[in-house]
Amino acid sequence: MRVLLLVPAATLLLSSAAAPADVVEYECKVRATGETQDVKVEVELTVPTDAQVGEEMVIGWHGSYVQGSELRAPAAGLEDGLKLYAYAGISGIDKLTSATGVAALEPLIPGAPVPLPATTVNLKTTPKNPGTGTVHAASINFGTSPSERAIECEVKNKDARTEYPLSIPGTGETTSPSPSETDETTSPSPSETDTKTKTPAGAADTGGGGEAGPDGRVLIGVGGLLVLASATGLVLRRRRLVAGL
């Protein structure tokens, strides 16, 4: 029976790896008043071990305050319906820099600690390329939307953060290879049927006459008439000579 119970647990470990809580120090600023607070949060990240290129992956985020270092709601300047926006930074993998998630919060009480979600927040992102990198806890914000932030919390102890390994197998985005020598082609020389009629500048394009143009055709016509007239004169002269004989 013990062996059967261990199999499901091993299966769960293959899909994600939960890391021990990491104490992250934040400087939180209330945008409405400019007030700042130093806050410490124990952040536990669950990094997937089965991430794939082109598929959405989820990094679990769970945070709890270090006692005595809570973020406290200001007396005024906060709207109802605030949400937590949590982020994880990702390094070492091309075109994959962060994951983000959102969770609703309980109503705030002025002067009391701003509540953090009791359940794990899913931070989502989609890798475009394979690689091996690391994941670390990043900033957290509180607001009604990602762009409407009431409180912004930036990491102070960046160098002390734990880096959790992330591996993404497979193949990534590819670009079309440059053509090889065997692929190079040259434009064929135009055939006789492709040769276009040329028209001198300033002359009307009549669609015939080749390169001679309208003026050239007039000269050719006149020359033809002269030749015909000369030939007719020779014929008449010959007839007169015959008659004289």
Side-chain angles (χ1 to χ4, degrees):
M1 292 298 294
R2 290 182 180 179
V3 174
L4 293 175
L5 291 175
L6 289 174
V7 171
T11 303
L12 291 175
L13 290 175
L14 290 175
S15 61
S16 61
D22 191 20
V23 176
V24 182
E25 299 178 8
Y26 291 100
E27 181 181 76
C28 298
K29 181 179 180 180
V30 180
R31 298 186 67 181
T33 62
E35 173 192 351
T36 61
Q37 301 180 41
D38 290 332
V39 177
K40 294 181 181 180
V41 180
E42 291 185 353
V43 178
E44 181 180 347
L45 296 180
T46 304
V47 181
T49 58
D50 58 351
Q52 298 293 326
V53 172
E55 297 181 5
E56 184 179 75
M57 72 176 192
V58 176
I59 299 173
W61 185 99
H62 185 268
S64 58
Y65 291 118
V66 174
Q67 187 173 2
S69 299
E70 300 90 348
L71 172 64
R72 295 188 175 275
L78 293 183
E79 300 179 12
D80 294 333
L82 290 186
K83 300 176 183 178
L84 166 74
Y85 293 91
Y87 300 87
I90 303 174
S91 303
I93 301 177
D94 187 31
K95 297 182 180 180
L96 186 65
T97 58
S98 64
T100 181
V102 59
L105 300 178
E106 297 177 3
L108 275 62
I109 300 175
V114 175
L116 295 176
T119 59
T120 299
V121 181
N122 291 331
L123 314 186
K124 300 179 181 180
T125 188
T126 301
K128 296 182 179 179
N129 291 287
T132 301
T134 57
V135 179
H136 52 259
S139 60
I140 55 176
N141 295 323
F142 301 85
T144 54
S145 71
S147 60
E148 297 293 333
R149 300 180 297 274
I151 303 175
E152 299 174 330
C153 299
E154 298 294 334
V155 178
K156 293 176 58 179
N157 61 335
K158 294 181 179 180
D159 295 338
R161 290 176 300 184
T162 302
E163 298 286 345
Y164 307 104
L166 173 66
S167 179
I168 301 174
T171 57
E173 296 179 341
T174 58
T175 57
S176 301
S178 57
S180 62
E181 293 182 359
T182 57
D183 295 332
E184 293 179 356
T185 58
T186 57
S187 300
S189 58
S191 63
E192 294 181 359
T193 56
D194 294 332
T195 303
K196 294 184 178 179
T197 302
K198 295 182 180 179
T199 304
D205 187 2
T206 60
E211 295 184 357
D215 298 335
R217 291 195 296 277
V218 171
L219 294 175
I220 292 172
V222 173
L225 291 175
L226 292 174
V227 172
L228 178 60
S230 298
T232 304
L234 291 175
V235 172
L236 292 175
R237 186 178 181 184
R238 182 178 178 82
R239 287 178 179 176
R240 290 174 183 176
L241 290 175
V242 172
L245 295 175

